[in-house]
Each structure stands twice: as C-alpha cells, then as structure tokens.
Amino acid sequence: MVNIWITIGISILYIILMGFIVAPNVGLLFTWIHRKLGARMQWRIGPPFYQPWADVIKLLSKETIVPATAHRATFILAPPLAVSSAILAFLIMPFIVSSPFGFVGDVIVVLYLMTMPAIAAMIGGSASGNPYAAVGVQREMTLIFSYELPFIMAALVPILKTGSLRFTDIVAYQLTHGPFLFSVSGFLAFVVSIMVMQAKLALPPFDIPEAKTEIVAGPYTEYSGASLALFKLTHAVMLFVVPCFIADMFLGGLVIRSLSDPVMLVTDVILIIVKLLVLVIIAAFIRFYNPRIRPDQAFGMFWKTVTIIAVIAVILSFIPLPYF
C-alpha cells in the first residue's frame, strides 16, 4: 500500500515538474531562440528574452470572444485538447530520466499524440464558422495526409533495428551501439523527420494552414484571449516535443546515464543541450531561408520525394549490417 502511494506521488511530481514547468518554459525559450535568430538573419535586434512569456501572459489576461456563428463547446475545448496532447506526448518520452509513464508501444501513442494539436486546430477552426478558418482547416488536412505517412515510415527505421516499440529500448540500443544517425537508413530517416518537423510545427516553407498574407491566421482566425494563448503555448511545446522525439529516435536519446559519475553527468547534460539546440537551429534556418510554398507543391514534395526517401530508409533497415 505504501509503495502504491509513493508511486502515485512520484508520478504527480513528474507531471508537475516536466509537464507544467519544463515543457512550456523550454518551448517558450526555443520560440525566443527562433525569433532571435530570425531577427539576426534579417539584421534586426529581435525581441528581448522574456517576450514569449509576456505574449502568453498578456493573452491569458484578455477576454476570449466566441463568435455568434461558432459551436461554443467545441470552439472552447479545442485549445485545451491541443496543449494537453502536446504535454502528454512529452511526459511519455524519456527526458533526462526514464519516464514513469513509458510502456510497450509508447512510440505509437506519441506519434498519435503529436498529430492531435493539428487535429485540435482543425476542430476549432471548423467550429468557428469563419471562411478563412475553413480554408486553413482544408490546408491543414492536406498537410496531415501528406506528411504523416513518411513520418511514420521514418519512425519505423529505429523500431525495426531494435525490434521494439518502446522508447527506453530504442534509447538503450543507441547507447550501446551508437546513434542511428550514423547508419545510412538512420540518416535518411533523420532527414525525413527534419522535413516533417517543419510541417508539424507549421513553419516555413510549410506554414500553409495559417498563411497570414492569404487567409489571416487560418484555423486560429477567430481565436482570442486565453484560447489563443493556449494555441500559442501548444506551438511552443511542440517546438520542444518534436525535437525530443527526433533526438530519442535518431540521436542517441536525451537521458543521463549516471548521476553518480560527475564527468558522465556533465557530458550527458551538454549533449542533451547540444542535440536540442542543433535541431532547433536547423528548423530556424529552414524557416527563415525559405518562402512559403503552395499546398499542391507541399503535397507533391511529401508524397513523392520525402516518401521515396522514407521507403528507401525502411528497406535499408532490413539489411543486417551495422552501417546500413
């Protein structure tokens, strides 16, 4: 009985620490890094460090206006669904330590949860009754249909190599045999994941669903106040969650191997920071050096080029040689 209460207490503490403190704040930090890098690339100063937090707090203090044409319950419930899905995906993945919520098949569940923010945006946009939101929903749906297949196929590469659907097994295998990035199939799957990451985060050149110069803000057009703040926070958390997923699957994981060895502890902490920053910087460079493409161009790119690369990666992963 005592052990059960200890387990419950540890789980609650983990949810509070990782889900409500680490994930939102690191996500907002990565948002600031993106904005700052973009400003420097354009010879601007950029926002101060606290700007992402100030934006969210300001929106939380404002009134949420529900359009008269909207389905009220669905319109209001979509933002909490988006942010809770993103946080839950992070709680399942190992970060620094093994997650107490890991289980057999958790990779599949996380793949599903990382799709939920886009689905929640589609639900909210459809419920708003706004024509611009409807166009954004159609574009979001097109993107999901185009990038989900290659993303799942890319995730299959480490799954096939380890023979496991569990994050802890995939990370443990890489700690023993080296990151999958250093194999041919793993590198190809990593490239596919980077391309899909831009689309999942709705970053240029795949910011098609919320193209501000074309359809105002897409599914988010009618959102304001706290509801809009939750969607903004969801985007920030996803900017942290997706790189965590890619790092766990292809870069050797984001765990500390030993807390008792100071050298190993410092090395692992530095590696975790470097892995995440590299992925965030890659996403920022792709974002600020590429213009938005048309929906048909994005659909063709994912269904042709990216999917073909993913298929090749999966085929190569069956070859029983370490460098394949």
Side-chain angles (χ1 to χ4, degrees):
M1 188 66 180
V2 175
N3 291 334
I4 294 175
W5 284 109
I6 292 175
T7 303
I8 293 173
I10 292 173
S11 299
I12 293 173
L13 182 62
Y14 189 85
I15 291 172
I16 294 172
L17 178 62
M18 292 295 186
F20 295 100
I21 298 177
V22 173
N25 285 288
V26 176
L28 291 171
L29 173 63
F30 286 175
T31 301
W32 173 77
I33 292 173
H34 260 239
R35 295 173 64 177
K36 196 72 173 180
L37 282 172
R40 292 301 184 183
M41 291 175 191
Q42 299 166 0
W43 297 93
R44 296 183 289 109
I45 296 176
F49 176 79
Y50 59 83
Q51 192 62 56
W53 287 269
D55 292 341
V56 171
I57 292 171
K58 181 180 179 180
L59 284 172
L60 287 172
S61 66
K62 290 184 175 294
E63 178 186 1
T64 298
I65 300 173
V66 181
T69 57
H71 187 281
R72 186 178 183 88
T74 308
F75 183 82
I76 293 175
L77 288 175
L81 173 63
V83 70
S84 59
S85 299
I87 291 175
L88 183 56
F90 173 68
L91 289 175
I92 294 175
M93 291 186 289
F95 181 74
I96 299 178
V97 295
S98 295
S99 170
F101 304 107
F103 53 90
V104 176
D106 53 5
V107 174
I108 296 176
V109 174
V110 169
L111 283 169
Y112 170 76
L113 288 172
M114 288 195 298
T115 308
M116 284 305 299
I119 295 175
M122 291 165 54
I123 293 172
S126 300
S128 68
N130 184 285
Y132 293 110
V135 175
V137 168
Q138 293 172 0
R139 293 184 174 192
E140 187 73 72
M141 189 180 301
T142 302
L143 264 185
I144 289 177
F145 282 136
S146 62
Y147 67 65
E148 277 302 318
L149 177 61
F151 191 50
I152 292 172
M153 295 180 72
L156 275 177
V157 172
I159 290 172
L160 291 171
K161 282 181 171 291
T162 58
S164 175
L165 289 166
R166 190 168 185 169
F167 275 110
T168 52
D169 295 337
I170 293 172
V171 172
Y173 183 93
Q174 293 180 89
L175 292 176
T176 305
H177 300 87
F180 291 123
L181 177 66
F182 299 143
S183 65
V184 177
S185 59
F187 177 77
L188 293 176
F190 174 76
V191 171
V192 170
S193 299
I194 292 295
M195 295 296 293
V196 174
M197 176 174 68
Q198 295 295 120
K200 272 192 173 292
L201 299 174
L203 297 176
F206 305 114
D207 57 333
I208 302 166
E210 51 183 289
K212 294 179 174 58
T213 56
E214 299 173 12
I215 51 174
V216 189
Y220 315 111
T221 300
E222 293 289 357
Y223 277 98
S224 59
S227 294
L228 182 59
L230 290 179
F231 271 128
K232 296 286 187 183
L233 191 60
T234 301
H235 185 273
V237 174
M238 286 296 288
L239 189 58
F240 176 45
V241 170
V242 180
C244 282
F245 178 84
I246 295 174
D248 280 334
M249 297 295 281
F250 303 106
L251 303 183
L254 300 170
V255 296
I256 294 175
R257 290 168 291 175
S258 174
L259 295 173
S260 58
D261 187 343
V263 176
M264 188 176 291
L265 174 63
V266 173
T267 303
D268 288 342
V269 169
I270 293 173
L271 284 174
I272 290 172
I273 295 172
V274 169
K275 289 173 185 177
L276 290 175
L277 284 180
V278 166
L279 291 171
V280 170
I281 291 171
I282 288 173
F285 270 84
I286 296 174
R287 172 184 182 178
F288 291 108
Y289 280 114
N290 290 278
R292 182 171 59 253
I293 59 178
R294 300 194 312 268
D296 62 303
Q297 291 175 323
F299 194 83
M301 179 185 297
F302 281 113
W303 268 103
K304 294 176 184 177
T305 307
V306 179
T307 301
I308 290 173
I309 295 173
V311 169
I312 295 172
V314 172
I315 293 172
L316 291 176
S317 66
F318 283 101
I319 300 176
L321 294 174
Y323 52 85
F324 278 102

